[in-house]
Structure formats: C-alpha cells, structure tokens
Amino acid sequence: MTTPETEFAQAMAALGGDSPTAVAVALGDGITRQVVEYWQARGRVPFERAPLVEARCWERGCQIDVALLCPDKTWRRIKDKKWPNPAGRPLVDFASEAV
C-alpha cells in the first residue's frame, strides 16, 4: 500500500537519495539543501512544492503522484502537453475544500 511516507521516500530516492544537496539541485527553483532537510525531518513535501517534486520525478522515470504525496488536499488535473505526467498538470481545488 502506498502512503505519503512511502511516496515521499520514493521521490527523495529518485531525486538524489540520501543527499539533500543532490535533491535540492535536482529540484532547482530556489530549493536549498536546508529546505530538503526540513522536508526530510517532517517526512513530507509541502503541498505548494508537490507539483514540482512530481514533475522532476516523472522526468527521471519515477511516477510520483501529488495526490499521494499530499493526500490532505483535493487535487484536480488540467490537460497540459508540457507536463511530464500524461494525466495533466496538478492543481489544488481550494473551492471544494471551502465547502
């Protein structure tokens, strides 16, 4: 069974293994080693960064899903041919959470 913890561990392994510096470099977008270390201490990625993690993992052949990384959010997808996941670009559905 896939849990947020196992999905997070798979994502970190795909992006650089035990090296927070390698994960930060793989992610880019201003992510630092310290940020990755914080995520590792918490055992999860903040939902704001989950799409970036998903995209970088898919680019490396690891099929990570934001809905499994951050199951506490309601995710929707929009078609986007540039997005590596063929299901489309993930977006948080804040409207459904407000109901």
Side-chain angles (χ1 to χ4, degrees):
M1 181 171 112
T2 302
T3 65
E5 293 79 19
T6 59
E7 195 80 352
F8 175 79
Q10 289 176 351
M12 293 299 105
L15 295 170
D18 293 332
S19 170
T21 301
V23 173
V25 168
L27 289 172
D29 200 40
I31 304 295
T32 63
R33 173 187 55 82
Q34 292 88 348
V35 168
V36 173
E37 288 172 346
Y38 177 71
W39 296 351
Q40 289 173 329
R42 290 184 60 219
R44 64 181 304 141
V45 174
F47 80 92
E48 299 93 339
R49 293 303 194 163
L52 174 66
V53 171
E54 178 189 271
R56 296 298 188 265
C57 286
W58 273 78
E59 291 166 357
R60 287 167 176 72
C62 182
Q63 298 178 355
I64 297 299
D65 190 320
V66 292
L68 295 172
L69 274 176
C70 301
D72 55 328
K73 297 294 178 189
T74 302
W75 295 92
R76 304 282 184 235
R77 295 210 179 249
I78 59 170
K79 297 288 183 194
D80 185 344
K81 292 180 182 178
K82 295 179 183 175
W83 195 257
N85 183 335
R89 181 180 297 272
L91 302 170
V92 175
D93 185 352
F94 289 108
S96 70
E97 293 179 6
V99 184

